[in-house]
PDB file of all heavy atoms in Angstrom:
ATOM      1  N   PRO A  44     218.022 199.429 344.592  1.00  0.00           N
ATOM      2  CA  PRO A  44     216.660 199.607 345.074  1.00  0.00           C
ATOM      3  C   PRO A  44     216.617 200.858 346.121  1.00  0.00           C
ATOM      4  O   PRO A  44     215.526 201.361 346.288  1.00  0.00           O
ATOM      5  CB  PRO A  44     216.436 198.402 345.901  1.00  0.00           C
ATOM      6  CG  PRO A  44     217.450 197.420 345.537  1.00  0.00           C
ATOM      7  CD  PRO A  44     218.674 198.175 345.001  1.00  0.00           C
ATOM      8  N   HIS A  45     217.796 201.381 346.466  1.00  0.00           N
ATOM      9  CA  HIS A  45     217.818 202.558 347.422  1.00  0.00           C
ATOM     10  C   HIS A  45     217.313 203.779 346.711  1.00  0.00           C
ATOM     11  O   HIS A  45     216.405 204.484 347.072  1.00  0.00           O
ATOM     12  CB  HIS A  45     219.224 202.704 347.943  1.00  0.00           C
ATOM     13  CG  HIS A  45     219.404 203.834 348.733  1.00  0.00           C
ATOM     14  ND1 HIS A  45     220.620 204.578 348.791  1.00  0.00           N
ATOM     15  CD2 HIS A  45     218.537 204.505 349.685  1.00  0.00           C
ATOM     16  CE1 HIS A  45     220.488 205.620 349.650  1.00  0.00           C
ATOM     17  NE2 HIS A  45     219.204 205.539 350.158  1.00  0.00           N
ATOM     18  N   ARG A  46     217.916 204.102 345.589  1.00  0.00           N
ATOM     19  CA  ARG A  46     217.629 205.421 344.900  1.00  0.00           C
ATOM     20  C   ARG A  46     217.220 205.186 343.465  1.00  0.00           C
ATOM     21  O   ARG A  46     216.910 206.164 342.761  1.00  0.00           O
ATOM     22  CB  ARG A  46     218.851 206.294 344.932  1.00  0.00           C
ATOM     23  CG  ARG A  46     219.113 206.963 346.265  1.00  0.00           C
ATOM     24  CD  ARG A  46     218.309 208.197 346.570  1.00  0.00           C
ATOM     25  NE  ARG A  46     218.435 208.659 347.927  1.00  0.00           N
ATOM     26  CZ  ARG A  46     219.440 209.401 348.400  1.00  0.00           C
ATOM     27  NH1 ARG A  46     220.289 209.878 347.557  1.00  0.00           N
ATOM     28  NH2 ARG A  46     219.479 209.817 349.623  1.00  0.00           N
ATOM     29  N   GLY A  47     217.183 203.952 343.029  1.00  0.00           N
ATOM     30  CA  GLY A  47     216.825 203.673 341.636  1.00  0.00           C
ATOM     31  C   GLY A  47     217.733 204.133 340.635  1.00  0.00           C
ATOM     32  O   GLY A  47     217.450 204.532 339.498  1.00  0.00           O
ATOM     33  N   ILE A  48     219.053 204.220 340.988  1.00  0.00           N
ATOM     34  CA  ILE A  48     220.107 204.657 340.012  1.00  0.00           C
ATOM     35  C   ILE A  48     221.128 203.507 339.792  1.00  0.00           C
ATOM     36  O   ILE A  48     221.130 202.541 340.563  1.00  0.00           O
ATOM     37  CB  ILE A  48     220.881 205.862 340.549  1.00  0.00           C
ATOM     38  CG1 ILE A  48     221.422 205.709 341.983  1.00  0.00           C
ATOM     39  CG2 ILE A  48     219.933 207.098 340.542  1.00  0.00           C
ATOM     40  CD1 ILE A  48     222.218 206.868 342.521  1.00  0.00           C
ATOM     41  N   ALA A  49     221.942 203.634 338.772  1.00  0.00           N
ATOM     42  CA  ALA A  49     222.938 202.519 338.425  1.00  0.00           C
ATOM     43  C   ALA A  49     223.908 202.395 339.553  1.00  0.00           C
ATOM     44  O   ALA A  49     224.276 203.301 340.188  1.00  0.00           O
ATOM     45  CB  ALA A  49     223.607 202.909 337.115  1.00  0.00           C
ATOM     46  N   LEU A  50     224.350 201.102 339.748  1.00  0.00           N
ATOM     47  CA  LEU A  50     225.230 200.855 340.862  1.00  0.00           C
ATOM     48  C   LEU A  50     226.703 201.185 340.588  1.00  0.00           C
ATOM     49  O   LEU A  50     227.415 201.395 341.458  1.00  0.00           O
ATOM     50  CB  LEU A  50     225.192 199.402 341.226  1.00  0.00           C
ATOM     51  CG  LEU A  50     223.976 198.940 342.060  1.00  0.00           C
ATOM     52  CD1 LEU A  50     222.807 198.589 341.089  1.00  0.00           C
ATOM     53  CD2 LEU A  50     224.279 197.659 342.789  1.00  0.00           C
ATOM     54  N   ASN A  51     227.050 201.106 339.254  1.00  0.00           N
ATOM     55  CA  ASN A  51     228.521 201.276 339.029  1.00  0.00           C
ATOM     56  C   ASN A  51     228.945 202.647 339.094  1.00  0.00           C
ATOM     57  O   ASN A  51     228.179 203.627 338.759  1.00  0.00           O
ATOM     58  CB  ASN A  51     228.773 200.596 337.672  1.00  0.00           C
ATOM     59  CG  ASN A  51     227.989 201.182 336.493  1.00  0.00           C
ATOM     60  OD1 ASN A  51     226.721 201.265 336.613  1.00  0.00           O
ATOM     61  ND2 ASN A  51     228.614 201.599 335.502  1.00  0.00           N
ATOM     62  N   TRP A  52     230.300 202.949 339.294  1.00  0.00           N
ATOM     63  CA  TRP A  52     230.838 204.145 339.095  1.00  0.00           C
ATOM     64  C   TRP A  52     231.914 204.185 337.976  1.00  0.00           C
ATOM     65  O   TRP A  52     232.042 205.066 337.268  1.00  0.00           O
ATOM     66  CB  TRP A  52     231.418 204.739 340.438  1.00  0.00           C
ATOM     67  CG  TRP A  52     232.286 203.851 341.291  1.00  0.00           C
ATOM     68  CD1 TRP A  52     232.794 202.632 340.792  1.00  0.00           C
ATOM     69  CD2 TRP A  52     232.760 204.138 342.577  1.00  0.00           C
ATOM     70  NE1 TRP A  52     233.515 202.212 341.969  1.00  0.00           N
ATOM     71  CE2 TRP A  52     233.553 202.971 342.996  1.00  0.00           C
ATOM     72  CE3 TRP A  52     232.583 205.166 343.500  1.00  0.00           C
ATOM     73  CZ2 TRP A  52     234.068 202.910 344.231  1.00  0.00           C
ATOM     74  CZ3 TRP A  52     233.116 205.007 344.820  1.00  0.00           C
ATOM     75  CH2 TRP A  52     233.888 203.927 345.063  1.00  0.00           C
ATOM     76  N   GLN A  53     232.670 203.083 337.885  1.00  0.00           N
ATOM     77  CA  GLN A  53     233.483 202.902 336.762  1.00  0.00           C
ATOM     78  C   GLN A  53     232.717 202.062 335.809  1.00  0.00           C
ATOM     79  O   GLN A  53     231.694 201.461 336.103  1.00  0.00           O
ATOM     80  CB  GLN A  53     234.730 202.117 337.130  1.00  0.00           C
ATOM     81  CG  GLN A  53     235.693 203.091 337.853  1.00  0.00           C
ATOM     82  CD  GLN A  53     236.907 202.294 338.487  1.00  0.00           C
ATOM     83  OE1 GLN A  53     236.907 201.101 338.443  1.00  0.00           O
ATOM     84  NE2 GLN A  53     237.820 202.980 338.935  1.00  0.00           N
ATOM     85  N   GLU A  54     233.124 202.063 334.494  1.00  0.00           N
ATOM     86  CA  GLU A  54     232.349 201.500 333.415  1.00  0.00           C
ATOM     87  C   GLU A  54     231.680 200.209 333.790  1.00  0.00           C
ATOM     88  O   GLU A  54     230.547 200.034 333.623  1.00  0.00           O
ATOM     89  CB  GLU A  54     233.212 201.467 332.186  1.00  0.00           C
ATOM     90  CG  GLU A  54     232.407 201.252 330.961  1.00  0.00           C
ATOM     91  CD  GLU A  54     233.153 201.091 329.754  1.00  0.00           C
ATOM     92  OE1 GLU A  54     234.431 201.207 329.799  1.00  0.00           O
ATOM     93  OE2 GLU A  54     232.679 200.907 328.585  1.00  0.00           O
ATOM     94  N   HIS A  55     232.507 199.241 334.265  1.00  0.00           N
ATOM     95  CA  HIS A  55     231.904 197.843 334.390  1.00  0.00           C
ATOM     96  C   HIS A  55     232.121 197.376 335.777  1.00  0.00           C
ATOM     97  O   HIS A  55     231.858 196.161 336.039  1.00  0.00           O
ATOM     98  CB  HIS A  55     232.629 196.844 333.451  1.00  0.00           C
ATOM     99  CG  HIS A  55     232.230 197.091 331.943  1.00  0.00           C
ATOM    100  ND1 HIS A  55     230.897 196.915 331.499  1.00  0.00           N
ATOM    101  CD2 HIS A  55     233.004 197.497 330.880  1.00  0.00           C
ATOM    102  CE1 HIS A  55     230.952 197.200 330.225  1.00  0.00           C
ATOM    103  NE2 HIS A  55     232.170 197.533 329.940  1.00  0.00           N
ATOM    104  N   THR A  56     232.389 198.171 336.798  1.00  0.00           N
ATOM    105  CA  THR A  56     232.672 197.727 338.145  1.00  0.00           C
ATOM    106  C   THR A  56     231.518 197.805 338.989  1.00  0.00           C
ATOM    107  O   THR A  56     230.991 198.845 339.321  1.00  0.00           O
ATOM    108  CB  THR A  56     233.855 198.555 338.687  1.00  0.00           C
ATOM    109  OG1 THR A  56     234.988 198.519 337.811  1.00  0.00           O
ATOM    110  CG2 THR A  56     234.412 197.933 340.075  1.00  0.00           C
TER     111      THR A  56
END
Side-chain angles (χ1 to χ4, degrees):
H45 174 216
R46 288 275 171 86
I48 54 178
L50 281 85
N51 55 306
W52 48 11
Q53 286 171 347
E54 197 182 358
H55 290 297
T56 309

